[in-house]
Amino acid sequence: MSARRRVAVLISGAGSNMAALIDAAGQDAVPFEVVLVLSNKAEAGGLAVAEAKGVPTAVVDHAPFGKDRAAHEQAIQTVLEAHDAEVVALAGYMRLLTPFLVGRWAGRMLNIHPSLLPKYPGLDTHARAIAAGDAEAGCTVHLVTEGVDEGPTLGQARVPVLADDTPASLAQRVLAAEHTLYPQALADFCRTPD
């Protein structure tokens, strides 16, 4: 098997999807390794999780950059290059990216979104699915493009919407599906030649 693809994971919070990716990378047949977990928040709980799993971490806090999002992303890019990242996986990274970083990683940056895209891009996806009376919800792994949640779909997982669902209960079931879908979709992506 060829060398494993070097993946950097960007997080802003607890990092449960990041943890699922790291755990998957521990399996012999998986074609990627997580070489860096980077957060825009020093207090992100996922940083301690990554460190406990032996993965290097970095923080590039967005606050000191003020409204200069491109400068913040340039600092992120410097860290990604220092770790020889080949693929970037967004896992609960709660910052809208500028064309600088999206363009730099075009075709090599993935995201997971908690809806069956193209339905419900953006926020409040579970409440929107319930309000619409949808019979099912789910999650989508997609390539990142300049449009919010508009990139090509790499995989989806579906869960039923139950009669007594709240946004929180639906979110919990969708998150469990994300933890299975994201490692699989990333592995499939990393097996595809450039």
Side-chain angles (χ1 to χ4, degrees), residues 114-150:
S115 79
L116 296 171
L117 292 173
K119 279 188 168 184
Y120 316 125
L123 302 174
D124 302 320
T125 59
H126 308 301
R128 291 157 69 193
I130 291 169
D134 292 351
E136 60 182 8
C139 50
T140 304
V141 175
H142 64 93
L143 287 175
V144 175
T145 58
E146 287 186 27
V148 175
D149 300 325
E150 290 180 356

Side-chain angles (χ1 to χ4, degrees), residues 69-118:
R69 290 166 53 212
H72 177 240
E73 290 181 7
Q74 181 62 60
I76 290 172
Q77 177 64 23
T78 299
V79 177
L80 294 174
E81 289 174 357
H83 287 81
D84 295 321
E86 298 174 283
V87 177
V88 173
L90 305 181
Y93 187 69
M94 302 307 288
R95 299 271 299 167
L96 289 177
L97 298 176
T98 73
F100 168 77
L101 204 61
V102 172
R104 178 67 184 79
W105 291 93
R108 296 183 299 141
M109 181 183 282
L110 287 67
N111 184 41
I112 188 153
H113 181 73
S115 79
L116 296 171
L117 292 173

Side-chain angles (χ1 to χ4, degrees), residues 2-188:
S2 61
R4 300 168 99 195
R5 301 288 290 276
R6 296 174 62 84
V7 176
V9 183
L10 272 56
I11 64 169
S12 293
S16 66
N17 270 308
M18 170 271 304
L21 294 177
I22 293 172
D23 291 346
Q27 301 168 27
D28 289 339
V30 173
F32 65 84
E33 60 179 323
V34 178
V35 298
L36 172 69
V37 171
L38 183 149
S39 180
N40 63 308
K41 296 181 176 182
E43 70 276 11
L47 293 169
V49 173
E51 288 167 3
K53 293 177 180 291
V55 175
T57 62
V59 175
V60 182
D61 190 336
H62 62 274
F65 293 91
K67 296 189 182 300
D68 192 347
R69 290 166 53 212
H72 177 240
E73 290 181 7
Q74 181 62 60
I76 290 172
Q77 177 64 23
T78 299
V79 177
L80 294 174
E81 289 174 357
H83 287 81
D84 295 321
E86 298 174 283
V87 177
V88 173
L90 305 181
Y93 187 69
M94 302 307 288
R95 299 271 299 167
L96 289 177
L97 298 176
T98 73
F100 168 77
L101 204 61
V102 172
R104 178 67 184 79
W105 291 93
R108 296 183 299 141
M109 181 183 282
L110 287 67
N111 184 41
I112 188 153
H113 181 73
S115 79
L116 296 171
L117 292 173
K119 279 188 168 184
Y120 316 125
L123 302 174
D124 302 320
T125 59
H126 308 301
R128 291 157 69 193
I130 291 169
D134 292 351
E136 60 182 8
C139 50
T140 304
V141 175
H142 64 93
L143 287 175
V144 175
T145 58
E146 287 186 27
V148 175
D149 300 325
E150 290 180 356
T153 295
L154 300 176
Q156 289 187 318
R158 298 170 184 273
V159 301
V161 178
L162 305 179
D164 61 349
D165 260 333
T166 63
S169 65
L170 180 56
Q172 199 167 27
R173 285 202 318 286
V174 170
L175 188 61
E178 290 177 28
H179 294 164
T180 301
L181 175 66
Y182 208 177
Q184 183 61 55
L186 180 58
D188 290 345

